[in-house]
């Protein structure tokens, strides 16, 4: 009789795991909290306007990339999916709008124009960018000597740079650079406490065409992956919050959903790690890394996304960040002073003809929005509209006519993401890619518990679509091994 694997979560990781299991001849079923697939990889369509709640750019969009091959395996990207890669991003520092080229060596040349006195520090960044833009980003460890030789040949520059930067923060890496404008630009590209490897990975991907946006966005991406899983015989149960992983004699035997037991030979937990360890397993199986990290490691902070459907276009670039000296209140007593504006005008499918889909995102306190939603839904909706109005006013002050062109408004608060994706502390991408977190090798199994595999954003610091797909594939491979033993 064929083995059955139950997967918790129909996000990108869970679907990836399901596809690889189905292709290996192992039956799988996915149980999903929401009433659609995708988890955090999702979009909303309002009156013909698509608002992308996930993708701004993704690592692995170049056909020669190893991650591109991973995407193709699960149909996250089709062979004919158009990819948009921006030539620049715009950022206001001290009242001046800087247009940063996303090309090498033009990026470094621009930095030298700003701060010729920081030549030594910029030259070091230049050397590292040259190495990463002239070699392939590694997309997984080698499994044999042939792959090791290939990795060393194709990714030597990346391996050299990662080896010397993974243990450094961005602050430590750019310490030789003293010019305040230059430091502000770099810290806006990547926070100071992130690993310097994250900064170089982002820049390297964007500068080599390996960090673009797939037209159709996260909505079309997840539809392709879901369709592939279903075509292989996989089954998804929506509106099905898993209440418990059933364990007998130290081995998982199934799950409970709405009081009903569903048997399985193995369980892949592709949802929230805290929920899995604390609620589904009742704190009975300590994890050697996650228990400590979930309680003390820095997390991505909760986000709110405010989206606008405009009846006309304003030639807003792909990404522009404004300073907001007057501030924008995102919760009582919480004010943001930077305004990120992202336009999807490059994607014809994002808005009706002649219209424009524009969004902004910002960190927001989860507790305020969650408490408000639970206590007073009418006031919650009123405050969401008030928040959208404040952002529309701030954008209109910088792009005159913006407010009058608004046809549709949509606001997703941190409470929205917790409700739909069950995020621990509202963290949309798990652990921050700090040097400490990136050096952690987070185990995918639990001591004393057989036939449960953990995967997803909580098992790889930094998150991201490429790691979600890769994590799901690795979970499927590990599950196959477990079932054979």
């Amino acid at each position: 009789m064929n083995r059955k694997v139950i997967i918790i979560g129909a996000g990108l990781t869970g679907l990836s795991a399901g596809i690889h299991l189905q292709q290996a001849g192992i039956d799988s079923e996915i149980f999903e909290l929401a009433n659609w697939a995708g988890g955090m990889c999702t979009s909303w369509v309002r009156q013909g306007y698509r608002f992308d709640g996930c993708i701004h750019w993704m690592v692995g969009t170049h056909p020669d990339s190893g991650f591109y091959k991973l995407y193709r395996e699960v149909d996250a990207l089709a062979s004919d999916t158009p990819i948009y890669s921006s030539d620049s991003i715009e950022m206001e520092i001290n009242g001046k709008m800087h247009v940063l080229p996303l090309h090498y060596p033009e990026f470094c040349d621009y930095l030298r124009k700003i701060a010729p006195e920081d030549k030594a520090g910029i030259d070091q960044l230049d050397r590292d960018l040259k190495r990463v833009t002239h070699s392939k980003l590694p997309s997984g460890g080698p499994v044999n000597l042939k792959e090791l030789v290939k990795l060393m040949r194709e990714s030597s520059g990346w391996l050299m740079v990662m080896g010397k930067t993974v243990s450094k923060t961005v602050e430590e890496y750019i310490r030789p650079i003293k010019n305040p404008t230059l430091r502000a630009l770099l810290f806006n590209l990547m926070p100071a406490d992130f690993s310097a490897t994250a900064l170089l990975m982002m820049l390297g991907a964007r500068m080599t065409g390996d960090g673009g946006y797939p037209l159709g966005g996260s909505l079309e991406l997840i539809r392709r992956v879901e369709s592939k899983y279903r075509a292989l015989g996989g089954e998804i149960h929506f509106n099905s919050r898993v209440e418990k992983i059933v364990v007998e004699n130290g081995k998982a035997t199934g799950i409970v959903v709405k009081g009903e037991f569903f048997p399985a030979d193995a369980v892949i937990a592709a949802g929230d790690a805290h929920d899995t360890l604390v609620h589904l397993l009742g704190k009975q199986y300590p994890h050697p890394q996650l228990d400590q990290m979930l309680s003390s490691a820095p997390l991505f902070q909760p986000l709110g996304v405010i989206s606008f459907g405009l009846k006309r276009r304003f030639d807003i670039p792909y990404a522009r960040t404004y300073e907001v000296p007057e501030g924008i209140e995102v919760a009582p007593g919480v004010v943001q002073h930077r305004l990120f504006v992202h336009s999807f005008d490059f994607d014809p499918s994002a808005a009706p003809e002649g219209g424009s889909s524009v969004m902004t995102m910002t960190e927001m306190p989860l507790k305020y929005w969650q408490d408000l939603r639970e206590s007073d839904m009418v006031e919650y909706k009123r405050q969401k509209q008030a928040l959208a109005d404040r952002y529309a006013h701030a954008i209109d002050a910088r792009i005159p006519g913006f407010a009058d062109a608004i046809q549709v408004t949509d606001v997703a608060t941190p409470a929205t993401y917790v409700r739909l994706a069950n995020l621990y502390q509202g963290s949309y991408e798990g652990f921050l890619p700090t040097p400490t977190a990136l050096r952690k090798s987070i185990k995918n199994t639990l001591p004393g518990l057989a036939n449960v595999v953990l995967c997803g954003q909580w098992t790889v610091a930094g998150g991201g679509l490429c790691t979600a797909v890769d994590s799901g594939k690795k979970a499927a491979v590990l599950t196959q091994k477990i079932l054979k033993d």
Side-chain angles (χ1 to χ4, degrees):
M1 187 172 69
N2 199 15
R3 298 293 187 96
K4 166 63 69 69
V5 175
I6 282 177
I7 301 168
I8 303 172
L12 197 50
T13 298
L15 288 169
S16 173
I19 286 170
H20 288 288
L21 286 173
Q22 294 294 133
Q23 289 176 328
I26 298 174
D27 291 338
S28 67
E29 291 183 56
I30 302 178
F31 289 78
E32 167 58 39
L33 165 69
N35 62 358
W36 64 81
M40 285 301 296
C41 186
T42 191
S43 301
W44 294 269
V45 177
R46 302 284 186 265
Q47 299 180 33
Y49 295 90
R50 189 184 70 245
F51 302 136
D52 203 319
C54 177
I55 304 175
H56 292 170
W57 63 278
M58 54 190 277
V59 173
T61 54
H62 194 285
D64 290 337
S65 164
F67 286 118
Y68 181 87
K69 295 176 177 62
L70 284 172
Y71 294 142
R72 293 287 292 115
E73 289 175 356
V74 298
D75 283 357
L77 295 177
S79 59
D80 60 350
T81 301
I83 303 295
Y84 173 79
S85 296
S86 177
D87 289 326
S88 64
I89 54 176
E90 301 185 13
M91 198 177 301
E92 185 179 15
I93 303 293
N94 296 326
K96 179 181 178 180
M97 189 64 70
H98 294 268
V99 181
L100 289 171
L102 290 177
H103 295 284
Y104 176 83
E106 289 84 353
F107 177 84
C108 294
D109 292 341
Y110 185 84
L111 300 188
R112 290 187 183 95
K113 289 179 181 177
I114 297 173
E117 70 277 14
D118 280 324
K119 181 179 183 302
I122 298 170
D123 285 351
Q124 178 58 62
L125 175 61
D126 189 315
R127 287 191 292 271
D128 288 338
L129 283 176
K130 183 175 183 178
R131 290 185 181 108
V132 300
T133 56
H134 288 75
S135 67
K136 282 189 177 182
L137 175 65
S139 57
V143 297
N144 53 46
L145 180 60
K146 182 178 180 181
E147 287 194 5
L148 176 61
V149 172
K150 182 180 180 182
L151 177 68
M152 296 300 294
R153 183 179 68 251
E154 295 182 344
S155 303
S156 59
W158 257 114
L159 295 173
M160 180 185 300
V161 169
M162 283 193 288
K164 74 174 189 175
T165 62
V166 70
S167 298
K168 290 183 178 181
T169 64
V170 173
E171 160 63 34
E172 291 168 337
Y173 180 71
I174 72 163
R175 192 165 290 164
I177 295 174
K178 305 301 182 183
N179 183 280
T181 297
L182 196 51
R183 290 175 64 84
L185 285 169
L186 292 170
F187 286 146
N188 274 278
L189 287 172
M190 195 65 61
D193 56 345
F194 282 25
S195 168
T197 295
L199 172 65
L200 291 162
M201 180 180 291
M202 181 273 290
L203 290 173
R206 302 289 289 275
M207 292 178 181
T208 56
D210 198 30
Y213 180 93
L215 299 200
S218 58
L219 186 63
E220 290 304 315
L221 184 151
I222 209 67
R223 282 175 175 170
R224 287 191 294 268
V225 180
E226 181 185 357
S227 294
K228 185 176 184 74
Y229 176 64
R230 292 186 183 278
L232 291 167
E235 184 177 359
I236 306 177
H237 304 268
F238 293 118
N239 297 309
S240 298
R241 177 189 284 270
V242 176
E243 298 160 3
K244 182 180 181 180
I245 296 175
V246 179
V247 179
E248 298 177 8
N249 300 319
K251 179 184 293 187
T253 59
I255 62 170
V256 174
V257 176
K258 299 176 184 176
E260 182 180 355
F261 173 67
F262 292 85
D265 296 293
V267 174
I268 293 178
D272 184 77
H274 182 268
D275 186 59
T276 299
L277 298 174
V278 173
H279 300 121
L280 306 188
L281 291 170
K283 300 183 181 180
Q284 296 301 304
Y285 300 93
H287 189 282
Q289 294 89 31
L290 284 174
D291 287 351
Q292 182 271 328
M293 292 180 71
L294 286 166
S295 66
S296 61
L299 308 179
F300 282 94
Q301 292 301 296
L303 285 180
V305 177
I306 303 99
S307 303
F308 301 99
L310 310 178
K311 63 185 177 183
R312 66 185 182 91
R313 295 186 173 188
F314 288 84
D315 294 324
I316 300 171
Y318 165 79
R320 177 185 286 167
T321 303
Y322 294 96
E323 295 172 320
V324 188
E326 69 274 22
I328 306 173
E329 188 176 68
V330 298
V334 181
V335 176
Q336 298 291 358
H337 290 279
R338 295 196 69 78
L339 172 62
F340 170 75
V341 180
H342 182 39
S343 167
F344 292 88
D345 285 352
F346 57 84
D347 187 346
S349 67
E353 186 174 357
S356 180
S357 174
V358 176
M359 60 86 73
T360 182
M361 60 192 301
T362 186
E363 292 182 0
M364 296 184 189
L366 171 63
K367 181 172 172 49
Y368 166 75
W369 289 101
Q370 197 164 33
D371 288 351
L372 184 60
R373 188 180 189 281
E374 291 174 356
S375 63
D376 190 337
M377 181 58 77
V378 173
E379 181 64 12
Y380 174 72
K381 291 180 178 180
R382 193 182 77 80
Q383 288 301 328
K384 286 209 304 181
Q385 185 58 55
L387 177 69
D389 291 343
R390 289 194 292 273
Y391 269 89
H393 176 76
I395 297 174
D396 190 76
R398 292 152 178 85
I399 305 174
F402 184 93
D404 289 339
I406 296 174
Q407 295 281 92
V408 184
T409 300
D410 184 86
V411 178
T413 72
T416 308
Y417 287 110
V418 170
R419 177 172 59 90
L420 298 176
N422 193 28
L423 305 177
Y424 175 59
Q425 294 189 14
S427 180
Y428 66 98
E429 230 173 357
F431 302 114
L432 294 180
T434 63
T436 299
L438 287 183
R439 294 198 303 272
K440 289 276 188 182
S441 178
I442 302 173
K443 294 187 179 299
N444 298 90
T445 56
L446 289 158
L449 178 60
N451 294 18
V452 171
V453 175
L454 307 176
C455 59
Q457 68 174 7
W458 295 102
T459 61
V460 184
L465 276 73
C466 57
T467 51
V469 174
D470 186 46
S471 178
K473 179 179 181 179
K474 288 176 178 174
V477 172
L478 178 56
T479 302
Q480 292 173 60
K481 183 179 184 299
I482 289 171
L483 293 177
K484 288 179 181 178
D485 290 344

